[in-house]
């Protein structure tokens, strides 16, 4: 059985998993996982590493809010229309700009929620581009169709040469809508056609759009190259849609996907699958090694997943107001058992497979 759409966030529905401490308790329970279960720290030690360390600080990934026009069943952010109060302020975004300019981050990865729903979104994109920084936006596609005030997003993205990354879990309407909401597939296709119309995904246009695939159930994604070829063939044949790359991402056992696993008695099986698929070759390419994740209220995390579990990073520089480049560059990454999701099989990152 696949993940099914929901109507409210875990927080709004009062689900115990909306408490980060409870999620961490579930992830750390030896009695639940069994005697043979090795925690992630033990596993990487077996692979010859005492810790995961930082290689560079090149990407600033900024979650500018949990407000979203969708309530996707797999969402690790637990975003939705009911998360109205968790939006990054103009002051916090200005501080992010200072960090980008001062420390020479090569890329700004803007995510949410639906980041376009933050009232300062367009100003921030333009300000980043004025610094000649590459800007990536995690766009859910349906936001383009959600309201007239977002209808010109394709033109805005193109004018600012934004790299668009969008989730499309299937080229099937049935599977996509089951995971992301009724009507999402049709609106996503319409949005992709509009993005193609302004040049996205078209050869030699310089406008990049990548699609993100994540499984609709408790299993690992298939081969990324094979999935990309099939998505390109199906979307071109059925809808005359082109895109650049497909990024295959593993569902991590946190937030709404953890709720699905527990509710369907699949948690143990899925965790064991991740453990069995652990691949030490992925450790060198983990996204946490060159990326900082900033929450809507300005706290700094090793990655977006640690952010959602409120696993603040090592050291004193836990907020952008206390930013210390050298300390952040020389820290160890905070790890837990959800990290198995990034190291299983070909690995998983915000950029897709690692190896």
């Amino acid at each position: 059985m696949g993940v099914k759409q929901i109507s409210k966030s875990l927080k709004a529905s009062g689900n115990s998993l909306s408490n980060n401490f409870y999620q961490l308790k579930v992830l750390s329970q030896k009695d639940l996982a069994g005697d043979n279960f090795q925690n992630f720290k033990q596993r990487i030690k077996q692979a010859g590493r005492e810790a995961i360390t930082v290689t560079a600080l090149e990407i600033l990934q900024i979650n500018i809010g949990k407000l979203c026009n969708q309530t996707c069943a797999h969402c690790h952010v637990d975003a939705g229309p009911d998360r109205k109060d968790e939006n990054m302020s103009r002051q916090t975004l200005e501080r992010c700009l200072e960090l980008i300019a001062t420390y020479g981050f090569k890329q700004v990865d803007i995510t949410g929620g639906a980041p376009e729903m933050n009232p300062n979104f367009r100003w921030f994109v333009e300000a980043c581009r004025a610094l000649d920084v590459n800007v990536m936006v995690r766009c859910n596609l349906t936001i383009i169709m959600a309201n007239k005030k977002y209808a010109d997003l394709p033109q805005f993205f193109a004018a600012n040469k934004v790299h668009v990354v969008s989730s499309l879990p299937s080229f099937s309407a049935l599977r996509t809508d089951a995971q992301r909401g009724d009507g999402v597939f049709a609106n996503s296709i319409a949005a992709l056609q509009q993005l193609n119309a302004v040049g996205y995904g078209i050869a030699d246009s310089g406008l990049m759009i990548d699609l993100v695939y994540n499984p609709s159930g408790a299993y690992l994604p298939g081969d990324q190259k094979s999935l990309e070829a099939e998505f390109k063939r199906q979307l071109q044949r059925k809808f005359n849609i082109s895109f650049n790359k497909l990024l295959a991402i593993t569902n991590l056992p946190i937030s709404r996907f953890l709720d699905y696993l527990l509710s369907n008695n699949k948690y143990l099986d899925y965790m064991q699958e991740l453990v069995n698929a652990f691949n030490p070759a992925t450790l060198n390419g983990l996204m946490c090694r060159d990326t900082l994740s900033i929450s809507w209220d300005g706290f700094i995390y090793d990655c977006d997943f640690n952010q959602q579990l409120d696993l603040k990073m090592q050291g004193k520089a836990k907020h952008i107001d206390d930013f210390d480049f050298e300390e952040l560059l020389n820290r160890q990454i905070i790890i837990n058992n959800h990290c198995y999701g990034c190291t299983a099989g070909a690995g998983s990152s915000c950029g897709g497979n690692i190896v």
Side-chain angles (χ1 to χ4, degrees):
M1 183 173 66
V3 180
K4 298 297 182 183
Q5 62 175 282
I6 59 176
S7 58
K8 291 183 179 181
S9 66
L10 298 177
K11 183 176 181 180
S13 61
N15 190 301
S16 56
L17 289 174
S18 64
N19 183 307
N20 297 319
F21 290 107
Y22 182 75
Q23 287 197 63
L24 290 168
K25 182 180 178 181
V26 171
L27 287 166
S28 301
Q29 282 184 30
K30 288 185 179 180
D31 55 336
L32 182 63
D35 294 336
N36 296 324
F37 182 82
Q38 279 188 310
N39 67 43
F40 187 73
K41 186 174 182 179
Q42 292 172 323
R43 196 58 182 272
I44 64 168
K45 190 172 184 178
Q46 276 191 347
R49 290 180 184 264
E50 291 295 326
I52 305 297
T53 55
V54 177
T55 55
L57 298 180
E58 297 181 343
I59 302 171
L60 200 64
Q61 185 177 65
I62 307 173
N63 188 313
I64 67 173
K66 297 189 177 185
L67 180 63
C68 189
N69 62 305
Q70 296 180 179
T71 315
C72 297
H74 65 283
C75 181
H76 69 281
V77 180
D78 194 30
D82 52 49
R83 306 299 295 269
K84 295 179 181 178
D85 297 331
E86 294 142 304
N87 250 343
M88 187 173 280
S89 68
R90 173 76 174 240
Q91 181 180 4
T92 302
L93 286 166
E94 287 174 347
R95 176 58 177 154
C96 289
L97 275 177
E98 290 177 9
L99 299 179
I100 295 162
T102 302
Y103 298 105
F105 285 93
K106 296 180 180 179
Q107 180 169 293
V108 178
D109 184 345
I110 307 174
T111 184
E116 300 90 346
M117 296 181 79
N118 185 300
N120 298 298
F121 169 75
R122 297 195 190 212
W123 163 80
F124 185 64
V125 169
E126 291 172 340
C128 288
R129 293 297 297 132
L131 293 174
D132 199 27
V133 176
N134 294 326
V135 174
M136 177 183 290
V137 171
R138 307 274 167 173
C139 175
N140 68 17
L141 295 176
T142 65
I143 191 66
I144 295 170
M145 315 301 295
N147 188 293
K148 288 182 179 180
K149 65 181 177 180
Y150 304 120
D152 66 335
L153 279 170
Q155 291 78 14
F156 174 80
F157 289 150
N160 288 280
K161 293 183 170 56
V162 171
H163 182 172
V164 178
V165 179
S166 298
S167 177
L168 191 70
S170 177
F171 43 78
S172 156
L174 184 64
R175 291 180 62 183
T176 298
D177 288 0
Q179 185 183 111
R180 302 186 69 205
D182 293 337
V184 165
F185 184 78
N187 283 337
S188 296
I189 293 299
L192 283 169
Q193 289 170 335
Q194 290 188 25
L195 287 162
N196 277 177
V198 298
Y200 275 95
I202 307 303
D204 301 323
S205 70
L207 299 175
M208 300 286 292
I209 179 164
D210 297 333
L211 299 183
V212 175
Y213 164 84
N214 65 292
S216 59
Y219 48 88
L220 299 180
D223 176 71
Q224 182 169 281
K225 288 185 178 179
S226 298
L227 284 166
E228 178 179 293
E230 185 63 9
F231 265 72
K232 285 188 172 181
R233 186 179 74 84
Q234 294 283 1
L235 291 177
Q236 181 61 232
R237 180 177 68 86
K238 294 179 179 179
F239 308 105
N240 195 31
I241 285 173
S242 300
F243 65 94
N244 296 100
K245 296 179 182 178
L246 184 81
L247 313 177
I249 294 181
T250 300
N251 289 318
L252 265 67
I254 66 173
S255 194
R256 292 183 194 158
F257 189 66
L258 178 57
D259 181 50
Y260 158 76
L261 293 172
L262 293 172
S263 298
N264 292 277
N265 296 315
K266 293 178 179 288
Y267 174 71
L268 294 181
D269 290 342
Y270 189 68
M271 288 303 298
Q272 197 59 57
E273 184 171 3
L274 294 181
V275 172
N276 292 343
F278 173 75
N279 182 358
T282 63
L283 296 175
N284 286 333
L286 292 173
M287 61 184 175
C288 53
R289 304 194 72 196
D290 66 0
T291 301
L292 290 178
S293 175
I294 312 298
S295 66
W296 68 271
D297 49 358
F299 285 95
I300 311 172
Y301 297 85
D302 294 309
C303 71
D304 193 42
F305 302 111
N306 279 9
Q307 181 186 143
Q308 306 318 319
L309 291 168
D310 199 28
L311 286 172
K312 293 187 175 68
M313 59 175 49
Q314 183 187 71
K316 297 179 180 179
K318 298 183 188 301
H319 193 275
I320 55 175
D321 290 340
D322 306 309
F323 196 89
D324 185 324
F325 188 88
E326 289 302 317
E327 182 185 73
L328 293 168
L329 184 61
N330 292 288
R331 75 190 192 279
Q332 292 183 0
I333 304 300
I334 301 299
I335 58 176
N336 204 295
N337 290 331
H338 65 289
C339 300
Y340 274 117
C342 291
T343 56
S348 182
S349 74
C350 288
N353 285 177
I354 296 173
V355 295

